[in-house]
Amino acid sequence: MSGIDVTFEGPLFDGRAAQAMGDYCDDARDSIAEFGEEYALNLMGLAFRHPTGYYESRVKTELVAADTARTHDSGVVYGPWLEGVGTRNRPRPGFPGYFHWRRTKEAVKTRGPQIAQQVLQRHLPGMR
């Protein structure tokens, strides 16, 4: 009785597809985070009436988990006031805030899937 030899080859079996997928996930996370940071800084540049540059210089994006990046203002004490959620923003009449972080969150939520799709196109050849 003779046996049948089965050979598996290609990106799925030699690890190239898994590597390309991992690279894609990292690239998508970083691209979406970069978009968010740039979006927030652009909003600040358009809205702040008397910018000193300090607050904007404190905006950072950091990796908090393998699949998660976080953009923040490094805990600047007047950050909540600028956003409009600080205790000094109420009661009315008071400074309502610029809402730059809330707007950024919505923009990332809306544009994130599109950005991830564009990034995927760059990584597909490594998965084939």
Side-chain angles (χ1 to χ4, degrees):
M1 193 163 201
S2 67
I4 299 174
D5 290 331
V6 178
T7 304
F8 297 100
E9 56 185 55
L12 186 60
F13 301 103
D14 66 15
R16 286 180 289 160
Q19 181 64 46
M21 188 55 128
D23 292 345
Y24 159 68
C25 291
D26 291 345
D27 195 5
R29 177 203 59 224
D30 294 346
S31 296
I32 293 168
E34 182 180 333
F35 166 78
E37 183 175 333
E38 289 175 4
Y39 193 90
L41 288 169
N42 284 334
L43 286 177
M44 293 172 206
L46 293 171
F48 289 4
R49 293 185 185 161
H50 304 288
T52 64
Y54 177 77
Y55 185 76
E56 295 95 321
S57 75
R58 305 302 296 157
V59 172
K60 307 283 184 232
T61 299
E62 64 185 359
L63 193 62
V64 293
D67 63 348
T68 307
R70 178 176 167 250
T71 302
H72 56 88
D73 66 4
S74 302
V76 173
V77 70
Y78 56 86
W81 178 76
L82 287 173
E83 177 64 15
V85 297
T87 57
R88 301 187 125 236
N89 295 95
R90 306 292 181 265
R92 298 272 185 208
F95 174 64
Y98 294 115
F99 310 110
H100 49 281
W101 291 116
R102 283 177 272 186
R103 290 178 183 166
T104 298
K105 184 177 179 180
E106 284 303 311
V108 168
K109 194 172 169 183
T110 300
R111 290 280 316 280
Q114 294 170 331
I115 294 168
Q117 182 66 32
Q118 291 169 344
V119 171
L120 178 62
Q121 299 309 312
R122 294 195 304 257
H123 292 275
L124 280 178
M127 297 178 199
R128 295 184 182 146

